[in-house]
Amino acid sequence: MDSDNQSQEAKLSVGLEEFNFDIVPVIYEIFCSIEKDHHDNSAKTRESQDCSQKVLELQKRLDQARAEVNLLPGIQFSKEEQLNHLEALKTQLRLKQDLLQRHRFVSPFHKP
């Protein structure tokens, strides 16, 4: 039952390398369109509409990023819970390393 839970979480979780946070170009385009100084009202109106579209695109990408962040494994835990879990894993690692170190020098054919 626990392995079923883990397999479902693995399917839902997203690795950091799979994120698509491509928001910087959209922000740059918004800044560029704001900086333009138009003397013609029709050009200002057209740029304003373009800027509004770019802001909507940015909002869409930010919503997508939020959704992807929520898929990260462990995101549902608080910082303290994550730190406690990390400390427990470090303790397990130390214990297993010690156990391996002790058994490394034990001969598999113990002579009486």
Side-chain angles (χ1 to χ4, degrees):
M1 178 114 177
D2 191 37
S3 64
D4 290 336
N5 248 355
Q6 289 174 348
S7 65
Q8 286 177 345
E9 286 179 16
K11 289 177 187 175
L12 293 176
S13 68
V14 175
L16 189 57
E17 62 277 352
E18 296 174 21
F19 280 108
N20 185 12
F21 292 135
D22 199 17
I23 61 174
V24 175
V26 177
I27 293 173
Y28 177 75
E29 290 174 7
I30 292 170
F31 285 150
C32 287
S33 64
I34 291 172
E35 285 181 344
K36 291 181 183 176
D37 187 23
H38 297 288
H39 298 290
D40 183 18
N41 280 342
S42 64
K44 283 183 183 180
T45 304
R46 188 174 50 253
E47 276 300 319
S48 178
Q49 290 172 349
D50 289 344
C51 188
S52 295
Q53 290 292 70
K54 291 173 187 172
V55 169
L56 291 174
E57 175 67 23
L58 176 63
Q59 183 63 41
K60 182 177 115 184
R61 290 186 187 192
L62 288 173
D63 289 341
Q64 178 185 2
R66 283 187 197 101
E68 288 178 3
V69 165
N70 286 331
L71 294 177
L72 283 174
I75 197 74
Q76 71 272 16
F77 300 115
S78 69
K79 180 180 178 180
E80 293 79 22
E81 290 171 324
Q82 289 179 3
L83 290 173
N84 289 339
H85 185 65
L86 179 62
E87 193 58 40
L89 290 173
K90 285 181 180 180
T91 302
Q92 284 180 358
L93 178 63
R94 266 187 264 129
L95 290 172
K96 289 178 181 183
Q97 286 174 335
D98 291 344
L99 188 61
L100 282 172
Q101 191 69 4
R102 276 189 267 146
H103 288 289
R104 179 179 289 169
F105 300 109
V106 173
S107 173
F109 303 104
H110 184 68
K111 295 178 182 178

